[in-house]
Amino acid sequence: MSSTKAISASLKSVDAKKESLRKAFEDLQSHSSSLASFTLQWKDLEDHFDSIQKSLEHRFKELEAKEAQVSAKGSAPKQSPPEKDKSADKPSPHLPAKKPDEPERSPRPELKSLCVSMDGMGLRSYIIEHRKELPFVKDELAGALRTASDPATLVLDAMQGFFPPNSKGDKDGELASIRRTCILLLEQSAAISPEIRPHVKEKAKNLAHEWKGKVSKGGENPLEALGFLQLLATYGLGSAFNADELLDLVATVARRRQAVDLCRAIGFSDKIPDFIEKLKNNGKHLEAVKFVFAFELVDKFPPVPLLKAHVKASKKVAQEIRKKGNDSIQAQNEASAKEIAALKAVIKYIEDHKLESEYPRESLDKRIEQMEKQKSDRKRPAATPAQKPQSQQQQTGNKRPRPAVPAPPRTLAAATSVPSIQQAQLQQPSLLQDRFTPYLSSTAGPYGLASPSTVTPYMSSTGGLYGLAGNSSFGANLSPTRSSYPYVSESRPASGLYDRSTGFGGYGLPSQYRQSFYP
């Protein structure tokens, strides 16, 4: 029993997880303009998700029934299942017939109440508000619509706001939810085939003409074209519009699961050969294959050449993506993902329609494996070089090499390794050099300083601050050794150190040179 409870809890969390997936998908779809072609739609994922969920729920009910029988130990008499409504099993001319394991669910009271009161806008709002429970609401919707006095009018009233003013199209998440709900209502209305009175059909026709002028022609907002075509199919309005123009709209939603059923419902069966040619000419080979099999035109349009053309076109699209992205890692990954998706779609057709003898899939599998390996290699971090010895790192890794053995503290007088260019610049005649000529020794070292033999000791008893001599030499030792007065208390400066009357700014210059600096 504990395992049954765990399964039940997992099934209850499916809706929340699917809602999170939907939000993530819509966020991804909002960036689809940066991709070469983004044809996958949330509806496709949702349908696949719903089919898996229904299958799991059906098996779970069977498991519960078996556990109940085991716990009862055969004491309770087995009840015969209730007789199903035969009208629910009748196939619709517009939608695929329900599977035997998908009986129509009894509508919940609030859903039924909205239909009985003919509240179209309230019905639409209820579905949007309960979209987390959409699989269950969808199963109950057909039964709820049957309780309405005029289902055709009820659904038509719910179409308000499908094209609001100043809309952002399908990229607007709230508007996209409204449009999906409207399409769902139109589909469920077509499934029950309600009576459509003449004035209701005329109202739907006027609405269809209004929508036609607003539908995007380039396929940028596929929900617009899908809603318009579903409106025509539900209310039987296909003959009121130009067939070629409608087929152009069908081409923009050809990958949608509803495309084939819409063509049948609107009455395009006799125009499908021309439509397949149009898809081929527009480079939509995979969509053409879909209609070839749906309308059994394999003899007229062999599917294998179309599949091979799709593989070739996918490679070309991948090359264009790489070129446009300057062959960056992001562009390479995007191109590989596009090509892998195309190859997997071709493989699915090969498997579903038993085309292995005509089109072996080994080359496709190898190509997919090769691209996936390349993607995996691009994700791996670059190998770090082996650690070099410390001395070698100092010689090659640093901009300014340092000696391996620390040198003793340097003095300005001992600094002899000065670049020649720097020496030339520093030793050029200047005003300072002229003014400090008395302080420069004839045996001066670099920077015009006295040689080590003539440098006055740092902080000597006869020197000024920084070891500047009070008479004939300008000596300095800015880096004294540890033996040269490490503590201030060992040697005090002359009494005139901070006396401006006896020194230039406290630097101990003789009085005869003060006038030249302060005219």
Side-chain angles (χ1 to χ4, degrees), residues 160-233:
Q160 297 180 29
F162 192 89
F163 282 96
N166 303 322
S167 70
K168 298 179 181 178
D170 293 348
K171 294 181 180 180
D172 185 342
E174 183 178 354
L175 179 58
S177 297
I178 292 174
R179 288 176 173 175
R180 291 191 187 97
T181 306
C182 290
I183 293 170
L184 174 62
L185 288 169
L186 290 170
E187 288 177 342
Q188 295 300 315
S189 178
I192 66 174
S193 301
E195 178 187 1
I196 303 176
R197 299 171 185 174
H199 73 279
V200 176
K201 187 170 184 176
E202 186 65 24
K203 183 179 178 182
K205 183 178 178 180
N206 294 335
L207 182 63
H209 279 289
E210 178 185 340
W211 283 13
K212 184 179 180 296
K214 298 179 180 180
V215 174
S216 302
K217 300 299 188 297
E220 298 176 358
N221 301 299
L223 292 178
E224 295 180 357
L226 195 61
F228 171 69
L229 293 170
Q230 189 64 60
L231 179 67
L232 301 185

Side-chain angles (χ1 to χ4, degrees), residues 91-95 190-191 193 261 264-265:
S92 168
H94 306 313
L95 297 175
S193 301
D261 295 319
R264 290 195 178 107

Side-chain angles (χ1 to χ4, degrees), residues 164-313:
N166 303 322
S167 70
K168 298 179 181 178
D170 293 348
K171 294 181 180 180
D172 185 342
E174 183 178 354
L175 179 58
S177 297
I178 292 174
R179 288 176 173 175
R180 291 191 187 97
T181 306
C182 290
I183 293 170
L184 174 62
L185 288 169
L186 290 170
E187 288 177 342
Q188 295 300 315
S189 178
I192 66 174
S193 301
E195 178 187 1
I196 303 176
R197 299 171 185 174
H199 73 279
V200 176
K201 187 170 184 176
E202 186 65 24
K203 183 179 178 182
K205 183 178 178 180
N206 294 335
L207 182 63
H209 279 289
E210 178 185 340
W211 283 13
K212 184 179 180 296
K214 298 179 180 180
V215 174
S216 302
K217 300 299 188 297
E220 298 176 358
N221 301 299
L223 292 178
E224 295 180 357
L226 195 61
F228 171 69
L229 293 170
Q230 189 64 60
L231 179 67
L232 301 185
T234 301
Y235 291 91
L237 302 172
S239 60
F241 296 87
N242 182 275
D244 292 334
E245 293 180 358
L246 295 182
L247 282 174
D248 289 339
L249 289 179
V250 174
T252 63
V253 295
R255 276 198 175 182
R256 296 283 186 141
R257 61 171 180 82
Q258 304 99 322
V260 171
D261 295 319
L262 287 174
C263 284
R264 290 195 178 107
I266 296 175
F268 290 155
S269 297
D270 58 335
K271 296 181 178 296
I272 293 302
D274 294 336
F275 180 63
I276 293 175
E277 286 288 350
K278 180 178 292 188
L279 291 175
K280 286 174 54 180
N281 295 335
N282 291 337
K284 298 185 176 183
H285 304 97
L286 208 61
E287 291 87 340
V289 174
K290 175 181 178 179
F291 280 85
V292 165
F293 283 111
F295 289 90
E296 300 179 355
L297 297 173
V298 176
D299 294 336
K300 189 171 183 179
F301 298 97
V304 171
L306 292 173
L307 294 175
K308 290 183 177 179
H310 181 69
V311 171
K312 184 178 180 180

Side-chain angles (χ1 to χ4, degrees), residues 348-420:
K348 181 169 175 48
Y349 272 104
I350 293 174
E351 292 176 344
D352 292 348
H353 299 283
K354 307 296 187 295
L355 300 174
E356 185 78 28
S357 59
E358 301 178 55
Y359 194 178
R361 52 174 289 182
E362 285 79 6
S363 60
L364 303 178
D365 290 330
K366 288 181 180 179
R367 177 61 178 164
I368 291 175
E369 183 180 356
Q370 177 187 0
M371 286 188 292
E372 287 180 343
K373 184 178 183 301
Q374 291 174 353
K375 286 181 65 178
S376 177
D377 292 341
R378 285 194 290 267
K379 291 180 181 179
R380 294 176 185 172
T384 56
Q387 190 76 9
K388 296 181 180 179
Q390 185 175 1
S391 60
Q392 188 176 358
Q393 282 185 343
Q394 291 176 347
Q395 293 176 6
T396 60
N398 300 327
K399 294 183 179 179
R400 296 181 180 178
R402 297 178 180 177
V405 181
R410 300 174 60 193
T411 64
L412 288 176
T416 57
S417 57
V418 182
S420 58

